[in-house]
Amino acid sequence: MMGAGKTTVGQLLADELGWRYVDSDREVVATTGRTVREIFETDGEAAFRAMETAVLEHAVAGDEPAVVGVAGGAVLDAANRETLRRSGTVVWLKAPLAALAARIGGADHRPLLGDDPAAALARLYPDREPLYEGLADVIVDVATRTPGEVVAEIRKQLGR
């Protein structure tokens, strides 16, 4: 979910493992030359989700191991969920809504949050939570942990 620390934790974990790191939102931006907000405003959410799917499929297609930070809404698509299931270990960085809202703040770059990020998260979370839980091989509560502690817990649960 937005604000869980996917980018920070993913990069740290990839560095520790000596793997490449791929952030799905950053890849969409790099591929299109536009921000996520610009894509949403110009082309709509459906177009962004299609780009997100293409980036996810490309990220997991190679033989080189990678840590992939997947945008929180990617799980809404059944094909993306299948891609994640077959591609490796799925880690859910779980946090209560209050912690996510505090981390996100104003979040101008997150188009789904609008003017009231806490209310938007409360609206999005019920649809996403069961999908996250159903996909996750590893669940780490990130609410009170530093990024380093989260990485250590992931490695512990993975036996690495």
Side-chain angles (χ1 to χ4, degrees), residues 77-130:
D77 183 274
N80 289 344
R81 292 193 303 274
E82 183 54 35
T83 296
L84 292 168
R85 277 188 191 99
R86 75 171 191 278
S87 298
T89 303
V90 177
V91 177
W92 175 21
L93 303 181
K94 183 177 182 177
L97 286 175
L100 296 172
R103 290 176 178 196
I104 289 172
D108 289 340
H109 64 288
R110 300 178 193 267
L112 290 177
L113 296 184
D115 295 333
D116 188 350
L121 286 171
R123 188 179 66 252
L124 296 170
Y125 199 70
D127 292 333
R128 295 179 181 190
E129 182 182 31

Side-chain angles (χ1 to χ4, degrees), residues 6 22 24 52-53 55-61 66-92 128 131-138:
K6 294 180 302 291
V22 179
S24 66
E52 178 179 68
T53 295
V55 163
L56 177 59
E57 289 171 357
H58 184 265
V60 300
V67 174
V68 181
V70 180
V75 300
L76 299 172
D77 183 274
N80 289 344
R81 292 193 303 274
E82 183 54 35
T83 296
L84 292 168
R85 277 188 191 99
R86 75 171 191 278
S87 298
T89 303
V90 177
V91 177
W92 175 21
R128 295 179 181 190
L131 299 173
Y132 296 152
E133 190 166 10
L135 279 170
D137 299 302
V138 172

